[in-house]
Amino acid sequence: MSEKISRVAVIDIGTHSVLYLLAEKGKDGIVRALHQELRSPRLGKGFGKTKRISHKAILKTLPILNEYLTLSQKQNAHRVIAVATHALRVAENQWEVVKIFREATGLEVHILTEEEEARASYSGAMYGREISGPVCMIDIGGGSTEMVLGVNGQIDSLKSIPVGAVTLTEHWNGETEHKVLEIFKLHFNAMPVSSFARVLVGVGGTITTLAGLELGLATYDPNQVDGFWIEFSKIKNWYERLSSLPPEQRKALVALDPDRADILPAGLLILKTICTLGNFKKVLVSDRGLRFGIALQQFEVN
């Protein structure tokens, strides 16, 4: 008989950040996040132009993976799962990068499909939430934005849109706002978002950082961020304020996560656009997302 898995470490290799989650399933059957870490090597830097992960970005990422592996051992994780999202999913040298990661760390990195990423983000975001009726869940990442429509925890439809905070920042120009609006209009026409969902739930660094700013947090506190509602007017105000600031002032203001300061306006533009097209007046912030969803999957198969 195989050993029961009750403690799982998940490493999420994104376009901007590499994140760590230690989750545990208690005797009461409830899954809880015990520990989280975030580093921002920006694996997808310059990716929008070259379609390749740079050697420099790989070298910045490797010590983070080793750090997380060591941490998982100290925390007695029964299993370590490493997943990758948009940047590795579409990179021309994806398998070369995966091989380097495996040979340098021993990690077998699973590159998530668009559907796998969207489903895991949705299950993580919705876990333990009592929301009746249709919901639109969004996960604004560095390289893509996942949108899922669901009812009472069951998925109705999903979409992965290849526009994220990093890729959008690297292509920013005077036409950006109009182009983002047109891109998301196409996807909204393909999904009945405004007629289907009345509640918007958001996960990802853009939204959690915004919640921290709105709450005035000096250090990130998931207990305060999770379940916090942000009004559309606040989203719009923060977008306009941050977009108008020079880089150093913006970085000082976003002291909670200074490595995200340069891409935060792009992430907020995506959020603002979704709220506008879907006629959402506010967004419910979830600290749980992709990593938590991956952990839930591991507990389900054991």
Side-chain angles (χ1 to χ4, degrees):
M1 183 179 293
S2 61
E3 182 185 359
K4 193 76 172 176
I5 301 297
S6 62
R7 185 173 283 201
V8 170
V10 180
I11 299 172
D12 169 11
I13 305 169
T15 304
H16 172 69
S17 304
V18 178
L19 306 103
Y20 173 91
L21 168 71
L22 181 73
E24 184 174 70
K25 186 173 185 178
K27 293 180 180 179
D28 56 4
I30 296 175
V31 178
R32 297 176 177 86
L34 299 184
H35 186 88
Q36 299 189 68
E37 293 284 344
L38 178 148
R39 304 287 183 272
S40 302
R42 200 164 294 185
L43 186 67
K45 185 174 183 179
F47 170 80
K49 298 175 182 177
T50 66
K51 302 303 179 187
R52 294 179 64 84
I53 305 298
S54 72
H55 186 62
K56 183 177 180 180
I58 294 170
L59 291 180
K60 287 181 69 176
T61 303
L62 283 174
I64 298 169
L65 298 181
N66 279 315
E67 175 193 352
Y68 288 169
L69 276 171
T70 300
L71 182 60
S72 70
Q73 293 166 0
K74 289 180 179 178
Q75 295 179 330
N76 299 314
H78 299 145
R79 181 175 293 169
V80 180
I81 306 297
V83 298
T85 54
H86 179 81
L88 270 177
R89 184 162 58 232
V90 300
E92 292 178 356
N93 60 335
Q94 58 177 220
W95 300 118
E96 175 189 336
V97 178
V98 167
K99 182 181 178 183
I100 292 172
F101 287 166
R102 180 176 61 248
E103 291 178 348
T105 69
L107 274 174
E108 287 289 349
V109 178
H110 173 60
I111 301 175
L112 297 171
T113 65
E114 294 176 348
E115 181 172 343
E116 285 174 333
E117 181 178 357
R119 286 185 178 277
S121 292
Y122 178 80
S123 64
M126 299 307 296
Y127 182 78
R129 299 193 193 283
E130 296 182 3
I131 301 176
S132 60
V135 170
C136 175
M137 188 286 305
I138 58 170
D139 183 352
I140 302 172
S144 64
T145 298
E146 274 55 56
M147 291 181 60
V148 181
L149 301 182
V151 183
N152 300 325
Q154 300 300 310
I155 292 176
D156 179 85
S157 56
L158 53 83
K159 202 86 170 174
S160 180
I161 303 166
V163 179
V166 173
T167 52
L168 190 58
T169 298
E170 292 181 351
H171 291 87
W172 195 277
N173 58 47
E175 297 294 316
T176 297
E177 288 197 26
H178 175 71
K179 287 180 179 178
V180 170
L181 182 63
E182 292 304 309
I183 289 170
F184 277 86
K185 266 185 182 178
L186 290 173
H187 292 284
F188 267 69
N189 289 338
M191 293 176 75
V193 179
S194 56
S195 61
F196 181 92
R198 286 293 170 265
V199 178
L200 180 65
V201 178
V203 302
T206 290
I207 295 172
T208 55
T209 301
L210 176 61
L213 287 171
E214 188 63 22
L215 286 162
L217 300 180
T219 56
Y220 186 78
D221 183 354
N223 294 320
Q224 291 192 62
V225 167
D226 190 67
F228 183 67
W229 287 93
I230 307 175
E231 302 286 336
F232 174 70
S233 60
K234 301 293 186 181
I235 297 168
K236 187 170 178 288
N237 289 344
W238 276 109
Y239 168 68
E240 292 173 352
R241 182 180 179 186
L242 290 170
S243 298
S244 66
L245 290 176
E248 287 308 310
Q249 287 186 35
R250 189 188 302 161
K251 200 167 187 177
L253 185 61
V254 191
L256 196 66
D257 188 2
D259 290 332
R260 188 175 295 278
D262 62 326
I263 64 171
L264 190 54
L268 291 178
L269 175 58
I270 294 170
L271 176 58
K272 183 172 78 78
T273 301
I274 291 171
C275 287
T276 299
L277 292 173
N279 196 29
F280 295 111
K281 303 303 181 186
K282 57 184 178 180
V283 58
L284 175 63
V285 182
S286 175
D287 177 68
R288 299 188 294 269
L290 175 62
R291 294 174 305 291
F292 201 87
I294 295 295
L296 290 175
Q297 292 173 0
Q298 296 303 309
F299 294 128
E300 286 172 3
V301 298
N302 283 278

